[in-house]
Structures are given as structure tokens and as C-alpha cells.
Coordinates of all heavy atoms in Angstrom, one line a residue:
M1 N 158.2 33.6 91.9 CA 157.4 34.8 91.8 C 157.2 35.4 93.2 O 157.1 36.6 93.3 CB 156.1 34.5 91.1 CG 155.3 35.7 90.8 SD 153.9 35.4 89.7 CE 153.1 34.0 90.5
G2 N 157.2 34.6 94.2 CA 157.1 35.1 95.6 C 155.7 35.2 96.1 O 154.8 35.1 95.3
F3 N 155.7 35.4 97.4 CA 154.4 35.5 98.1 C 153.6 36.8 97.8 O 154.2 37.9 97.8 CB 154.7 35.4 99.6 CG 153.5 35.6 100.4 CD1 152.6 34.5 100.6 CD2 153.3 36.8 101.1 CE1 151.5 34.7 101.4 CE2 152.2 36.9 101.9 CZ 151.3 35.9 102.1
K4 N 152.4 36.7 97.5 CA 151.5 37.8 97.2 C 150.4 37.9 98.2 O 149.8 36.9 98.6 CB 151.0 37.9 95.8 CG 152.0 38.2 94.8 CD 151.4 38.7 93.5 CE 152.3 38.8 92.3 NZ 153.6 39.5 92.6
Q5 N 150.0 39.1 98.5 CA 148.9 39.3 99.4 C 147.9 40.3 98.7 O 148.4 41.3 98.1 CB 149.4 39.9 100.7 CG 148.4 40.0 101.8 CD 149.0 40.7 103.0 OE1 149.9 41.5 103.0 NE2 148.5 40.3 104.2
V6 N 146.6 40.0 98.8 CA 145.6 40.9 98.2 C 144.7 41.4 99.3 O 144.1 40.7 100.0 CB 144.7 40.1 97.1 CG1 143.6 41.0 96.6 CG2 145.6 39.6 96.0
L7 N 144.7 42.7 99.4 CA 143.9 43.4 100.4 C 142.7 44.1 99.8 O 142.9 44.9 98.9 CB 144.7 44.4 101.2 CG 145.9 43.8 101.9 CD1 146.7 45.0 102.6 CD2 145.6 42.8 102.9
I8 N 141.5 43.7 100.1 CA 140.3 44.3 99.5 C 139.5 45.1 100.5 O 139.0 44.5 101.5 CB 139.5 43.2 98.9 CG1 140.3 42.4 97.9 CG2 138.2 43.8 98.1 CD1 139.7 41.0 97.4
C9 N 139.3 46.3 100.3 CA 138.6 47.2 101.2 C 137.1 46.7 101.4 O 136.4 46.4 100.4 CB 138.5 48.6 100.7 SG 137.6 49.7 101.7
Q10 N 136.8 46.5 102.7 CA 135.4 46.1 103.0 C 134.7 47.2 103.8 O 133.7 47.0 104.5 CB 135.4 44.8 103.8 CG 136.0 43.6 103.1 CD 135.2 43.3 101.8 OE1 134.1 42.9 101.9 NE2 135.8 43.4 100.7
N11 N 135.2 48.4 103.8 CA 134.6 49.5 104.5 C 133.3 50.0 103.8 O 133.1 49.5 102.7 CB 135.6 50.6 104.8 CG 135.3 51.4 106.0 OD1 135.1 50.8 107.1 ND2 135.3 52.7 105.9
R12 N 132.6 50.9 104.4 CA 131.3 51.2 104.0 C 131.1 51.6 102.5 O 130.3 51.0 101.8 CB 130.8 52.4 104.8 CG 129.5 52.2 105.4 CD 129.1 53.4 106.3 NE 130.1 54.4 106.4 CZ 130.1 55.3 107.3 NH1 129.2 55.3 108.2 NH2 131.1 56.2 107.4
T13 N 131.9 52.5 102.0 CA 131.7 53.0 100.6 C 132.0 51.9 99.6 O 131.2 51.7 98.7 CB 132.6 54.2 100.4 OG1 132.4 55.1 101.5 CG2 132.1 54.9 99.1
C14 N 133.1 51.2 99.8 CA 133.5 50.1 98.9 C 132.4 49.0 99.0 O 132.1 48.4 98.0 CB 134.9 49.6 99.2 SG 136.2 50.7 98.6
H15 N 132.0 48.8 100.2 CA 131.0 47.7 100.4 C 129.7 48.0 99.6 O 129.2 47.1 99.0 CB 130.7 47.5 101.9 CG 129.9 46.3 102.2 ND1 128.6 46.2 102.3 CD2 130.4 45.0 102.4 CE1 128.2 45.0 102.6 NE2 129.3 44.2 102.7
K16 N 129.3 49.2 99.7 CA 128.1 49.6 98.9 C 128.3 49.4 97.4 O 127.4 49.2 96.6 CB 127.8 51.1 99.1 CG 126.8 51.4 100.2 CD 126.4 52.8 100.2 CE 126.1 53.3 101.6 NZ 126.4 54.8 101.7
Q17 N 129.6 49.5 97.0 CA 129.9 49.3 95.6 C 130.2 47.9 95.2 O 130.6 47.6 94.1 CB 131.1 50.2 95.2 CG 130.7 51.7 95.4 CD 132.0 52.6 95.2 OE1 133.0 52.4 95.8 NE2 131.8 53.6 94.3
G18 N 130.0 47.0 96.2 CA 130.1 45.5 95.8 C 131.4 44.9 96.2 O 131.7 43.8 95.7
S19 N 132.1 45.4 97.1 CA 133.5 44.8 97.4 C 133.3 43.5 98.1 O 134.3 42.7 98.1 CB 134.3 45.8 98.3 OG 133.7 46.0 99.6
D20 N 132.2 43.2 98.7 CA 132.0 41.9 99.4 C 132.0 40.8 98.3 O 132.6 39.7 98.5 CB 130.8 41.8 100.2 CG 129.5 42.2 99.5 OD1 129.6 43.0 98.5 OD2 128.4 41.8 99.9
K21 N 131.4 41.0 97.2 CA 131.4 40.0 96.1 C 132.8 39.8 95.5 O 133.2 38.7 95.2 CB 130.5 40.5 94.9 CG 129.0 40.4 95.3 CD 128.2 40.7 94.0 CE 126.8 41.2 94.4 NZ 126.8 42.6 94.8
I22 N 133.5 41.0 95.4 CA 134.9 40.9 94.9 C 135.8 40.0 95.8 O 136.5 39.2 95.3 CB 135.5 42.3 94.7 CG1 134.6 43.2 93.8 CG2 137.0 42.2 94.2 CD1 134.6 42.8 92.4
L23 N 135.6 40.2 97.1 CA 136.4 39.4 98.1 C 136.1 37.9 97.9 O 137.0 37.1 97.9 CB 136.0 39.9 99.5 CG 136.7 39.2 100.6 CD1 138.2 39.4 100.6 CD2 136.2 39.7 102.0
V24 N 134.8 37.6 97.8 CA 134.4 36.2 97.7 C 135.0 35.6 96.5 O 135.5 34.4 96.5 CB 132.9 36.0 97.8 CG1 132.4 34.6 97.4 CG2 132.3 36.4 99.1
L25 N 134.9 36.3 95.4 CA 135.4 35.8 94.1 C 136.9 35.5 94.2 O 137.4 34.5 93.7 CB 135.1 36.7 92.9 CG 133.6 36.8 92.5 CD1 133.4 37.9 91.5 CD2 133.3 35.5 91.8
F26 N 137.7 36.5 94.8 CA 139.1 36.3 94.9 C 139.4 35.1 95.8 O 140.3 34.3 95.5 CB 139.8 37.5 95.5 CG 140.3 38.5 94.4 CD1 139.6 39.6 94.1 CD2 141.4 38.2 93.7 CE1 140.0 40.5 93.1 CE2 141.9 39.0 92.7 CZ 141.2 40.2 92.4
K27 N 138.6 34.9 96.9 CA 138.9 33.8 97.8 C 138.6 32.5 97.0 O 139.3 31.5 97.2 CB 138.0 33.9 99.0 CG 138.5 34.9 100.0 CD 137.9 34.8 101.4 CE 138.7 35.6 102.4 NZ 137.9 35.9 103.6
D28 N 137.6 32.5 96.2 CA 137.2 31.2 95.5 C 138.2 30.9 94.4 O 138.5 29.7 94.1 CB 135.8 31.4 94.8 CG 134.7 31.2 95.8 OD1 135.0 30.9 97.0 OD2 133.5 31.5 95.5
E29 N 138.7 31.9 93.7 CA 139.4 31.6 92.5 C 140.9 31.8 92.5 O 141.6 31.4 91.6 CB 138.9 32.6 91.4 CG 137.4 32.3 91.1 CD 136.9 33.3 90.0 OE1 137.6 33.9 89.2 OE2 135.6 33.5 90.0
S30 N 141.5 32.4 93.6 CA 142.9 32.6 93.6 C 143.7 31.4 93.9 O 143.2 30.5 94.5 CB 143.2 33.7 94.7 OG 142.8 34.9 94.3
P31 N 144.9 31.4 93.4 CA 145.8 30.2 93.7 C 146.1 30.2 95.2 O 146.0 31.2 95.9 CB 147.1 30.6 93.0 CG 146.9 31.9 92.3 CD 145.6 32.4 92.6
P32 N 146.3 29.0 95.7 CA 146.4 28.8 97.2 C 147.6 29.6 97.8 O 147.5 29.9 99.0 CB 146.6 27.3 97.4 CG 146.8 26.7 96.0 CD 146.4 27.7 95.0
D33 N 148.6 29.9 97.1 CA 149.7 30.6 97.7 C 149.5 32.1 97.7 O 150.4 32.8 98.2 CB 151.0 30.3 96.9 CG 150.9 30.7 95.4 OD1 149.8 30.8 94.9 OD2 151.9 31.0 94.8
V34 N 148.3 32.6 97.3 CA 148.0 34.0 97.5 C 147.1 34.2 98.6 O 146.1 33.6 98.8 CB 147.4 34.6 96.2 CG1 147.0 36.1 96.3 CG2 148.3 34.4 95.0
Q35 N 147.5 35.2 99.5 CA 146.7 35.4 100.7 C 145.7 36.5 100.4 O 146.0 37.6 99.9 CB 147.5 35.9 101.8 CG 146.8 36.0 103.1 CD 147.6 36.7 104.2 OE1 148.8 36.9 104.1 NE2 146.9 37.0 105.3
I36 N 144.4 36.2 100.6 CA 143.3 37.2 100.3 C 142.7 37.7 101.6 O 142.3 36.8 102.4 CB 142.2 36.5 99.4 CG1 142.7 35.8 98.2 CG2 141.1 37.5 99.0 CD1 143.4 36.6 97.2
Q37 N 142.6 38.9 101.7 CA 142.1 39.5 103.0 C 141.2 40.7 102.8 O 141.6 41.6 102.0 CB 143.4 39.8 103.8 CG 143.2 39.8 105.3 CD 144.6 40.0 105.9 OE1 145.6 39.4 105.6 NE2 144.6 41.0 106.8
G38 N 140.1 40.8 103.6 CA 139.4 42.0 103.6 C 140.1 43.0 104.6 O 140.8 42.6 105.5
I39 N 139.9 44.2 104.3 CA 140.6 45.2 105.1 C 139.7 46.5 105.3 O 138.8 46.7 104.5 CB 142.0 45.6 104.5 CG1 142.9 46.4 105.4 CG2 141.8 46.3 103.1 CD1 144.3 46.6 104.9
G40 N 140.1 47.3 106.2 CA 139.4 48.6 106.4 C 139.7 49.6 105.3 O 140.5 49.3 104.4
C41 N 139.2 50.8 105.4 CA 139.3 51.8 104.4 C 140.7 52.0 103.9 O 141.6 52.2 104.7 CB 138.7 53.1 104.9 SG 138.7 54.4 103.7
L42 N 140.9 52.0 102.6 CA 142.2 52.3 102.0 C 142.4 53.7 101.6 O 143.4 54.1 101.0 CB 142.4 51.4 100.7 CG 142.6 49.9 101.0 CD1 142.4 49.1 99.7 CD2 143.9 49.6 101.6
G43 N 141.5 54.6 102.1 CA 141.6 56.0 101.9 C 141.3 56.5 100.4 O 141.7 57.5 100.0
Q44 N 140.6 55.6 99.7 CA 140.2 56.0 98.3 C 138.7 55.8 98.1 O 138.3 55.4 97.1 CB 141.0 55.1 97.4 CG 142.4 55.2 97.4 CD 142.9 56.6 96.8 OE1 142.1 57.2 96.0 NE2 144.0 57.1 97.2
C45 N 137.9 56.2 99.2 CA 136.5 56.0 99.1 C 135.9 56.7 97.9 O 136.3 57.8 97.6 CB 135.8 56.6 100.3 SG 136.7 56.2 101.8
G46 N 135.0 56.0 97.2 CA 134.4 56.5 96.0 C 135.0 56.0 94.8 O 134.4 56.0 93.7
N47 N 136.2 55.4 94.9 CA 136.8 54.8 93.7 C 136.7 53.3 93.8 O 137.3 52.6 93.0 CB 138.3 55.2 93.7 CG 138.5 56.6 93.4 OD1 137.8 57.2 92.6 ND2 139.5 57.2 94.0
G48 N 135.8 52.8 94.7 CA 135.8 51.4 94.9 C 135.0 50.6 93.9 O 134.4 51.2 93.0
P49 N 134.9 49.3 94.1 CA 135.7 48.6 95.1 C 137.2 48.8 94.9 O 137.7 48.6 93.8 CB 135.3 47.2 95.0 CG 134.0 47.2 94.3 CD 134.0 48.4 93.4
M50 N 137.9 49.0 96.0 CA 139.4 49.2 95.9 C 140.1 48.0 96.4 O 139.7 47.3 97.3 CB 139.8 50.3 96.9 CG 139.4 51.7 96.5 SD 140.3 52.3 95.0 CE 142.0 51.9 95.4
M51 N 141.3 47.7 95.8 CA 142.1 46.7 96.4 C 143.6 47.0 96.1 O 143.9 47.9 95.2 CB 141.8 45.3 95.8 CG 142.0 45.2 94.3 SD 141.9 43.5 93.8 CE 143.6 43.0 93.7
I52 N 144.5 46.4 96.9 CA 145.9 46.6 96.7 C 146.6 45.2 96.7 O 146.2 44.3 97.5 CB 146.5 47.5 97.7 CG1 148.0 47.8 97.5 CG2 146.2 47.1 99.1 CD1 148.5 48.9 98.3
V53 N 147.5 45.1 95.8 CA 148.3 43.8 95.8 C 149.7 44.1 96.3 O 150.4 45.0 95.9 CB 148.5 43.3 94.3 CG1 149.3 42.0 94.3 CG2 147.1 43.1 93.7
L54 N 150.1 43.3 97.3 CA 151.4 43.5 98.0 C 152.2 42.2 97.7 O 151.7 41.2 97.5 CB 151.2 43.6 99.5 CG 150.5 44.9 99.9 CD1 150.2 44.9 101.5 CD2 151.2 46.2 99.5
P55 N 153.5 42.3 97.6 CA 154.4 43.5 97.9 C 154.5 44.4 96.7 O 155.3 45.4 96.8 CB 155.7 42.9 98.3 CG 155.8 41.6 97.4 CD 154.3 41.1 97.3
D56 N 153.7 44.2 95.7 CA 153.9 45.0 94.4 C 153.4 46.5 94.6 O 153.8 47.3 93.8 CB 153.1 44.4 93.3 CG 153.4 42.9 93.1 OD1 154.1 42.4 94.0 OD2 152.8 42.3 92.2
E57 N 152.6 46.7 95.6 CA 152.0 48.0 95.8 C 151.2 48.5 94.5 O 151.4 49.6 94.1 CB 153.0 49.0 96.3 CG 153.5 48.7 97.6 CD 154.3 49.8 98.3 OE1 154.0 51.0 98.0 OE2 155.2 49.5 99.1
V58 N 150.5 47.6 93.9 CA 149.7 47.9 92.8 C 148.2 48.1 93.3 O 147.7 47.2 93.9 CB 149.7 46.8 91.7 CG1 148.7 47.0 90.6 CG2 151.1 46.8 91.1
W59 N 147.6 49.2 93.0 CA 146.3 49.5 93.4 C 145.3 49.3 92.2 O 145.6 49.8 91.1 CB 146.2 51.0 93.9 CG 147.0 51.3 95.1 CD1 148.3 51.3 95.2 CD2 146.5 51.7 96.3 NE1 148.7 51.7 96.4 CE2 147.6 52.0 97.2 CE3 145.2 51.9 96.8 CZ2 147.4 52.4 98.5 CZ3 145.0 52.3 98.2 CH2 146.2 52.5 99.0
Y60 N 144.2 48.7 92.5 CA 143.1 48.6 91.5 C 141.9 49.3 92.0 O 141.6 49.1 93.2 CB 142.8 47.1 91.2 CG 143.9 46.4 90.5 CD1 144.6 45.4 91.1 CD2 144.3 46.7 89.2 CE1 145.6 44.7 90.5 CE2 145.3 46.0 88.5 CZ 146.0 45.0 89.2 OH 147.0 44.3 88.5
S61 N 141.2 49.9 91.1 CA 139.9 50.6 91.6 C 138.8 50.3 90.7 O 139.0 49.7 89.6 CB 140.2 52.1 91.5 OG 140.5 52.5 90.2
H62 N 137.6 50.6 91.1 CA 136.3 50.4 90.3 C 136.2 49.0 89.8 O 136.0 48.7 88.6 CB 136.3 51.4 89.1 CG 136.3 52.8 89.5 ND1 135.2 53.4 90.1 CD2 137.2 53.8 89.4 CE1 135.5 54.7 90.4 NE2 136.7 54.9 90.0
L63 N 136.5 48.0 90.7 CA 136.5 46.6 90.3 C 135.1 46.1 90.0 O 134.2 46.4 90.7 CB 137.2 45.8 91.4 CG 138.6 46.1 91.6 CD1 139.1 45.3 92.8 CD2 139.4 45.7 90.4
E64 N 135.0 45.3 89.0 CA 133.8 44.6 88.6 C 134.1 43.1 88.8 O 135.2 42.7 88.6 CB 133.4 44.8 87.1 CG 133.3 46.3 86.7 CD 131.9 46.8 87.1 OE1 131.0 46.0 87.5 OE2 131.7 48.0 87.0
P65 N 133.0 42.3 89.1 CA 133.2 40.9 89.2 C 134.0 40.2 88.1 O 134.9 39.4 88.3 CB 131.8 40.3 89.4 CG 131.0 41.4 89.9 CD 131.6 42.7 89.4
M66 N 133.8 40.7 86.9 CA 134.4 40.1 85.7 C 135.9 40.4 85.7 O 136.7 39.8 84.9 CB 133.8 40.6 84.4 CG 134.0 42.0 84.1 SD 133.2 42.5 82.6 CE 133.9 44.1 82.3
D67 N 136.4 41.4 86.4 CA 137.8 41.8 86.5 C 138.6 40.8 87.3 O 139.8 40.7 87.1 CB 138.0 43.2 87.1 CG 137.3 44.3 86.3 OD1 137.1 44.1 85.1 OD2 136.9 45.3 86.9
V68 N 138.0 40.0 88.2 CA 138.7 39.2 89.1 C 139.5 38.2 88.4 O 140.7 38.0 88.7 CB 137.7 38.6 90.1 CG1 138.4 37.6 91.0 CG2 137.1 39.6 91.0
S69 N 139.0 37.4 87.5 CA 139.8 36.4 86.8 C 140.9 37.0 86.0 O 142.0 36.4 85.9 CB 138.9 35.5 86.0 OG 138.2 36.2 85.0
T70 N 140.7 38.2 85.4 CA 141.7 38.8 84.7 C 142.9 39.2 85.6 O 144.1 38.9 85.2 CB 141.2 40.2 84.1 OG1 140.0 39.9 83.3 CG2 142.2 40.8 83.1
I71 N 142.6 39.7 86.7 CA 143.7 40.1 87.7 C 144.4 38.8 88.2 O 145.6 38.8 88.3 CB 143.2 40.9 88.9 CG1 142.7 42.3 88.4 CG2 144.2 41.0 90.0 CD1 142.0 43.1 89.4
I72 N 143.6 37.8 88.4 CA 144.3 36.5 88.9 C 145.2 35.9 87.9 O 146.4 35.6 88.1 CB 143.2 35.5 89.3 CG1 142.5 36.0 90.6 CG2 143.8 34.1 89.5 CD1 141.3 35.1 91.0
Q73 N 144.7 35.9 86.6 CA 145.5 35.2 85.6 C 146.7 36.1 85.2 O 147.9 35.6 85.2 CB 144.7 35.0 84.3 CG 143.8 33.8 84.5 CD 142.7 33.8 83.4 OE1 142.8 34.3 82.3 NE2 141.6 33.1 83.7
Q74 N 146.5 37.4 85.0 CA 147.6 38.2 84.5 C 148.6 38.6 85.6 O 149.8 38.6 85.4 CB 147.1 39.4 83.8 CG 146.5 39.2 82.4 CD 146.1 40.4 81.7 OE1 146.8 41.5 81.8 NE2 145.0 40.4 81.0
H75 N 148.0 39.0 86.7 CA 148.9 39.6 87.8 C 149.3 38.5 88.8 O 150.5 38.3 89.0 CB 148.2 40.7 88.4 CG 149.0 41.5 89.3 ND1 148.7 42.7 89.9 CD2 150.3 41.3 89.8 CE1 149.7 43.2 90.6 NE2 150.6 42.3 90.6
L76 N 148.4 37.9 89.4 CA 148.7 37.0 90.5 C 149.4 35.7 90.0 O 150.3 35.2 90.7 CB 147.5 36.6 91.3 CG 146.7 37.8 91.9 CD1 145.5 37.3 92.7 CD2 147.6 38.6 92.8
Q77 N 149.0 35.2 88.8 CA 149.7 34.1 88.3 C 150.8 34.5 87.3 O 151.9 33.9 87.2 CB 148.7 33.1 87.6 CG 147.7 32.5 88.7 CD 146.7 31.6 88.0 OE1 146.1 32.0 87.0 NE2 146.4 30.5 88.7
G78 N 150.5 35.5 86.5 CA 151.4 35.8 85.4 C 152.5 36.9 85.8 O 153.5 37.1 85.1
G79 N 152.3 37.6 86.9 CA 153.3 38.5 87.4 C 153.2 39.9 86.7 O 154.1 40.7 86.9
C80 N 152.2 40.1 85.8 CA 152.1 41.4 85.1 C 150.8 42.1 85.6 O 149.7 41.7 85.3 CB 151.9 41.2 83.6 SG 153.4 40.6 82.8
P81 N 151.0 43.3 86.2 CA 149.8 44.1 86.6 C 148.9 44.4 85.4 O 149.4 44.5 84.3 CB 150.4 45.3 87.2 CG 151.8 44.9 87.6 CD 152.2 43.9 86.7
V82 N 147.6 44.5 85.7 CA 146.7 44.7 84.6 C 146.5 46.2 84.5 O 145.8 46.9 85.2 CB 145.3 44.1 84.9 CG1 144.3 44.3 83.7 CG2 145.5 42.6 85.2
E83 N 147.2 46.8 83.5 CA 147.4 48.3 83.5 C 146.0 48.9 83.3 O 145.7 50.0 83.9 CB 148.3 48.7 82.3 CG 149.7 48.3 82.5 CD 150.4 48.9 83.7 OE1 150.0 50.0 84.2 OE2 151.3 48.2 84.3
A84 N 145.1 48.4 82.6 CA 143.8 49.0 82.3 C 142.9 49.1 83.6 O 142.0 50.0 83.6 CB 143.1 48.2 81.2
L85 N 143.2 48.3 84.6 CA 142.4 48.3 85.8 C 143.1 49.0 86.9 O 142.5 49.2 88.0 CB 142.1 46.9 86.2 CG 141.2 46.1 85.2 CD1 141.1 44.6 85.7 CD2 139.9 46.7 85.1
R86 N 144.3 49.5 86.7 CA 145.0 50.2 87.8 C 144.3 51.5 88.2 O 143.8 52.1 87.3 CB 146.5 50.4 87.5 CG 147.3 49.1 87.5 CD 148.7 49.4 87.1 NE 149.5 49.8 88.2 CZ 150.8 49.6 88.3 NH1 151.4 49.0 87.3 NH2 151.5 50.0 89.3
M87 N 144.5 51.9 89.4 CA 143.9 53.1 89.8 C 144.5 54.3 89.0 O 145.7 54.4 88.9 CB 144.1 53.3 91.3 CG 143.4 54.5 91.8 SD 143.4 54.7 93.6 CE 145.2 55.1 93.8
K88 N 143.6 55.1 88.5 CA 144.1 56.3 87.8 C 144.3 57.4 88.8 O 143.5 57.7 89.6 CB 143.0 56.8 86.8 CG 142.4 55.7 85.9 CD 143.2 55.5 84.7 CE 142.5 54.5 83.7 NZ 142.3 53.2 84.3
V89 N 145.5 57.9 88.8 CA 145.9 59.0 89.7 C 145.6 60.3 89.0 O 146.1 60.5 87.9 CB 147.3 58.9 90.2 CG1 147.7 60.0 91.1 CG2 147.6 57.5 90.8
K90 N 144.7 61.1 89.6 CA 144.4 62.4 89.0 C 145.6 63.3 89.1 O 146.3 63.4 90.1 CB 143.2 63.1 89.7 CG 141.9 62.4 89.4 CD 140.8 63.3 89.7 CE 139.5 62.5 89.6 NZ 139.0 62.1 91.0
K91 N 145.9 64.0 87.9 CA 147.0 64.9 87.9 C 146.5 66.3 87.8 O 145.5 66.6 87.3 CB 147.9 64.6 86.7 CG 148.7 63.3 87.0 CD 149.7 63.0 85.8 CE 150.2 61.6 86.1 NZ 150.6 61.0 84.8
Ligands
FES1 S1 135.7 52.6 101.9 FE1 137.0 51.6 100.5 S2 138.6 53.0 100.3 FE2 137.4 53.9 101.8

């Protein structure tokens, strides 16, 4: 499946929306071969907490603590992005 990296915005707006809790949960629950990292603004302030999974370039927005185990099981372990939680791009 290859190496994955999870970047979770810890900048002001996402932080106010609870991104610090999301970061802690990912660090606690992710498989050891996934790198979890806090990062500065991802340019999507207001849609937070925001995160991106690399190298897949899958963006997740409006994360809730209960979403973390879903993303870990389906995407990080199972290799299938969680479509319902992906960032909605306005058209
Ligand atoms: S503060 Fe998180 S995307 Fe800007």
C-alpha cells in the first residue's frame, strides 16, 4: 500500500474548530507506518478542521473526532478514501 503521510492543519481557524483533538486522536490510533503531522494553514480556513492525506492528495474537511477511526480503517489501512468526508469543492 505504500507510505502515507497525514497533515492536519493546526493554524488558528482550524484550531478553534478542534483540530488539536483530531491530531491527538490520529497520533494515538494510526498504524505505526503512517506519519502524522501538524501543519500550518492549508488555505481552506473555515472548512476545518482540515487535513490532507499524501501521496493520495485526498482532502478531508469539517472533521469530527468520531471521523478519525473511520478514516484510519477505510483509508489509511484499507486504501479507500472516505468519500462522505472528503472536502466538497464548490462549483
Ligand atoms: S486555518 Fe486551517 S486551513 Fe487555514
Side-chain angles (χ1 to χ4, degrees):
M1 189 166 53
F3 175 78
K4 285 200 195 306
Q5 189 181 29
V6 174
L7 303 176
I8 304 167
C9 175
Q10 298 296 300
N11 208 50
R12 234 178 350 199
T13 312
C14 285
H15 194 264
K16 269 194 212 146
Q17 295 174 308
S19 65
D20 54 335
K21 289 189 202 78
I22 303 291
L23 179 65
V24 168
L25 287 170
F26 269 104
K27 282 194 167 158
D28 283 354
E29 296 179 21
S30 289
D33 59 335
V34 177
Q35 188 191 349
I36 310 294
Q37 207 174 307
I39 191 173
C41 183
L42 287 168
Q44 295 293 335
C45 315
N47 291 323
M50 284 296 310
M51 64 172 261
I52 181 167
V53 180
L54 297 175
D56 311 5
E57 294 194 28
V58 170
W59 295 67
Y60 291 114
S61 60
H62 300 290
L63 293 171
E64 302 280 349
M66 66 181 193
D67 298 332
V68 172
S69 57
T70 309
I71 292 173
I72 290 172
Q73 284 165 24
Q74 284 187 36
H75 189 169
L76 302 182
Q77 294 178 319
C80 288
V82 185
E83 294 299 332
L85 297 173
R86 284 177 86 155
M87 186 173 69
K88 312 271 184 304
V89 180
K90 287 200 188 99
K91 289 183 185 153

